[in-house]
């Protein structure tokens, strides 16, 4: 209870006993508290240093100072120390902000700030997790996250969520096949985070407080780094894109319902990609699944359309309104 005042539980017990039984000496206090006399003497030394006990004039008997005076004086000192510490923290925060502002100006490129390489992006995401105030929106592409990346992301998300920041993330449908990602999404849900999935995503994306956005320099190679954007018009467009994808995505914990033709969301996306001219290989990359998975889906679709070839399957899909 009084750790902040410099008192351990044993010190507090001795002080309380002296207030309740002022007539007890060291031996009496030891017996009353079921501790050794040495423990009582150690506690008396600490209480004397904190001015919580005094020696009676003309006697070697110690007397407890009234808590209204002794404990209140200690608390006032702690409060003064906290106030000084808070002023130091604010002063340090101002210096950090000034250094960060100068750093940002140095790296500013047109309407954005260039973050070269994965390490620079991770460092910036760490900073944003600590300063986010209200909301974080993101797209996560690929099949599964690296365990180290997921661990780092968990720590940052927990920091933000515990401060009341709302987190919404859209994964690709392929993540549902990764147990680690599913466990991470369930853990996030327990802290208040929300996750959904959709077959395809345009790129990786992070939007913080609808003021700052990180997009990849090259959507096909996230290792190159990201571009940090702050232009209100660009941010508004990216938020609109996120909300559109979010509305059509399937929440974690739910299984996407087949459409009126009995097609899953991945099958619908595959048909659309193939109709746009994608090969099996590029469709697999877009869906973040294996080539074998795409070929297996395509075989199933061809059979359901009673088609003898992929060309005939395309014609049949168009006639039946699948495309």
């Amino acid at each position: 209870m009084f750790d902040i005042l410099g008192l351990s539980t044993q010190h507090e017990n001795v002080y309380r006993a002296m207030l309740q039984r002022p007539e007890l000496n060291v031996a009496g206090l030891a017996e009353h508290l079921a501790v050794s006399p040495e423990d009582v003497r150690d506690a008396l030394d600490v209480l004397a240093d904190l001015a919580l006990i005094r020696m009676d004039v003309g006697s070697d008997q110690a007397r407890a100072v009234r808590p209204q005076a002794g404990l209140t004086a200690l608390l006032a000192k702690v409060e003064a120390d906290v106030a000084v510490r808070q002023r130091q923290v604010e002063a340090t925060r101002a210096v950090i902000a000034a250094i960060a502002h100068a750093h940002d100006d140095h790296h500013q490129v047109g309407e954005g700030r260039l973050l070269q390489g994965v390490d620079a992006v991770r460092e910036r995401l760490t900073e944003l997790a600590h300063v986010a105030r209200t909301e974080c929106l993101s797209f996560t592409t690929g099949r599964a996250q690296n365990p180290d990346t997921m661990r780092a992301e968990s720590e940052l998300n927990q920091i933000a969520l515990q401060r009341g920041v709302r987190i919404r993330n859209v994964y690709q449908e392929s993540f549902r096949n990764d147990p680690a990602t599913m466990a991470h999404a369930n853990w996030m849900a327990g802290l208040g985070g929300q996750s959904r999935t959709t077959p395809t995503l345009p790129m990786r994306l992070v939007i913080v407080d609808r003021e700052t956005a990180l997009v990849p320099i090259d959507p096909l190679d996230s290792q190159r780094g990201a571009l940090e954007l702050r232009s209100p018009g660009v941010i508004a467009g990216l938020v609109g894109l996120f909300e559109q994808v979010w509305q059509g995505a399937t929440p974690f914990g739910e299984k996407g319902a087949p459409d009126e033709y009995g097609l899953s969301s991945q099958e619908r996306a595959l048909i659309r990609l193939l109709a746009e001219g994608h090969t099996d290989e590029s469709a697999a990359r877009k869906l973040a699944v294996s080539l074998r998975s795409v070929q297996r889906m395509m075989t199933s679709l061809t059979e359901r359309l009673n088609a003898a070839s992929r060309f005939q399957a395309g014609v049949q899909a168009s006639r039946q309104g699948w495309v």
Side-chain angles (χ1 to χ4, degrees), residues 179-194:
T181 300
M182 293 296 290
H184 173 71
N186 291 330
W187 174 82
M188 284 277 293
L191 293 177
Q194 301 176 63

Side-chain angles (χ1 to χ4, degrees), residues 29-107:
L29 288 169
E31 182 178 355
H32 177 69
L33 296 171
V35 297
S36 69
E38 289 74 18
D39 288 338
V40 173
R41 291 191 185 92
D42 290 341
L44 292 176
D45 288 341
V46 172
L47 294 172
D49 290 340
L50 296 175
L52 289 176
I53 62 172
R54 294 175 182 166
M55 299 300 295
D56 285 335
V57 178
S59 168
D60 60 355
Q61 182 73 19
R63 176 176 59 84
V65 174
R66 295 173 65 247
Q68 295 91 328
L71 292 176
T72 302
L74 281 178
L75 183 58
K77 183 178 183 302
V78 170
E79 288 176 333
D81 291 341
V82 169
V84 170
R85 187 67 173 169
Q86 185 61 37
R87 287 195 294 272
Q88 292 173 337
V89 168
E90 293 303 324
T92 303
R93 191 190 307 278
V95 173
I96 291 173
I99 294 173
H101 182 70
H103 179 73
D104 286 349
D105 286 347
H106 181 69
H107 288 81

Side-chain angles (χ1 to χ4, degrees), residues 2-31:
F2 292 134
D3 287 352
I4 193 174
L5 303 180
L7 293 172
S8 69
T9 301
Q10 186 162 286
H11 302 152
E12 180 186 343
N13 290 340
V14 172
Y15 177 67
R16 287 178 181 270
M18 293 179 70
L19 288 170
Q20 296 166 1
R21 301 285 301 277
E23 77 281 1
L24 295 178
N25 58 16
V26 171
L29 288 169
E31 182 178 355

Side-chain angles (χ1 to χ4, degrees), residues 110-249:
E111 290 294 326
R113 172 188 173 195
L114 194 61
L115 302 171
Q116 293 185 321
V118 175
D119 290 341
V121 175
R122 287 176 178 169
E123 287 177 8
R124 186 57 179 144
L125 287 174
T126 299
E127 294 170 2
L128 291 171
H130 285 87
V131 300
R133 302 184 307 277
T134 59
E135 182 182 53
C136 181
L137 314 174
S138 60
F139 289 158
T140 303
T141 60
R143 299 186 192 180
Q145 286 181 288
N146 180 284
D148 291 338
T149 300
M150 196 178 302
R151 189 159 42 248
E153 180 184 298
S154 298
E155 294 173 359
L156 296 179
N157 287 341
Q158 186 169 11
I159 289 170
L161 287 166
Q162 288 175 341
R163 292 205 327 275
V165 176
R166 185 187 184 196
I167 293 181
R168 289 187 288 158
N169 184 55
V170 182
Y171 294 96
Q172 284 197 251
E173 196 79 38
S174 53
F175 275 93
R176 288 182 181 267
N177 299 321
D178 180 53
T181 300
M182 293 296 290
H184 173 71
N186 291 330
W187 174 82
M188 284 277 293
L191 293 177
Q194 301 176 63
S195 300
R196 295 185 178 185
T197 61
T198 192
T200 62
L201 285 170
M203 60 185 172
R204 286 183 175 269
L205 172 67
V206 176
I207 306 173
V208 177
D209 293 337
R210 305 199 174 205
E211 296 173 355
T212 304
L214 267 60
V215 298
I217 296 172
D218 180 355
L220 299 179
D221 184 8
S222 61
Q223 298 297 311
R224 289 187 57 190
L227 189 65
E228 180 178 327
L229 305 173
R230 291 180 176 273
S231 170
V234 174
I235 299 298
L238 291 173
V239 170
L241 171 64
F242 177 87
E243 295 294 356
Q244 184 178 30
V245 173
W246 177 263
Q247 290 302 320

